[in-house]
Amino acid sequence: MKRCGKCGVSFAGDLDRCPLCQAELSGKAEPSAFPRNEVRKSGAVALSVLAFVSGACLLAMLFLGRLLGLPGDIVLTVCLGLVVNYLFVRNILVHTPDFLRVVVRYFLILLAIAALWYLITRNPVVTTFVIPGICLVALVFDAVLVAVFRGTFVSGYAKYLLFDVVLGLIPLALVALGLATWDVPANVSALTASVLLLALLVFTRKQLVAEVRKLFSA
């Protein structure tokens, strides 16, 4: 019987990846008690929808930029961000890597895009709302996964959890440096990061400490 090392669940049949977290299964396959499902989900429709939505967003941004007279650097930055987002999501759909690992990395890429956006435009909206918003969404996503998978998620993705906790405090630094015009989003992000860190230390301390030791000993 094949087993997922992250979820700790065993599966009968000839599955190659865990249906819960998409990680590769280990062990020897055993015949399933249920008939094999020959239905295969095609990614063609998803790719078409992704291409259409990305193209529509690009056209809308160009139209709004001309209609509202937005600065060219802002329009260019948003368009580049949409292109990068399309390429990244398309890579997920085509190559189907570890879904959870891709998602937690995706938030880091969004933060990098937002930082680049600010460096080019110097728009305080990015540092006041966009960056704290991305951090808050990433922290909530992490909290949900920790609540569902508990120690197994911490064991597999501890470094990303710690990255998100640290990044959740970054908006406070932006406020301290005078780069943000309103401190409420930054304070909410920092509070969420602190609560998540407290929850990790209280409920998954053993797994977290073990993974941190691995990181520093590697």
Side-chain angles (χ1 to χ4, degrees), residues 73-74 77-78 110-131 174 177-181:
D73 53 356
I74 294 179
T77 303
V78 174
L110 288 180
L111 284 173
I113 293 174
L116 181 62
W117 181 6
Y118 177 74
L119 291 176
I120 294 175
T121 65
R122 296 294 177 179
N123 189 341
V125 172
V126 179
T127 52
T128 304
F129 297 102
V130 177
I131 293 180
L174 298 177
L177 295 173
L179 301 178
T181 58

Side-chain angles (χ1 to χ4, degrees), residues 199-218:
L200 292 174
L201 293 175
V202 172
F203 297 108
T204 62
R205 182 175 59 256
K206 293 182 179 179
Q207 295 89 342
L208 185 64
V209 171
E211 292 300 316
V212 170
R213 288 178 178 175
K214 290 180 182 179
L215 291 176
F216 285 100
S217 61

Side-chain angles (χ1 to χ4, degrees), residues 92-122:
I92 297 174
L93 296 176
V94 172
H95 300 288
T96 59
D98 185 341
F99 176 74
L100 292 179
R101 192 174 302 277
V102 169
V103 172
V104 292
R105 288 177 178 176
Y106 184 57
F107 289 117
L108 300 179
I109 292 178
L110 288 180
L111 284 173
I113 293 174
L116 181 62
W117 181 6
Y118 177 74
L119 291 176
I120 294 175
T121 65
R122 296 294 177 179

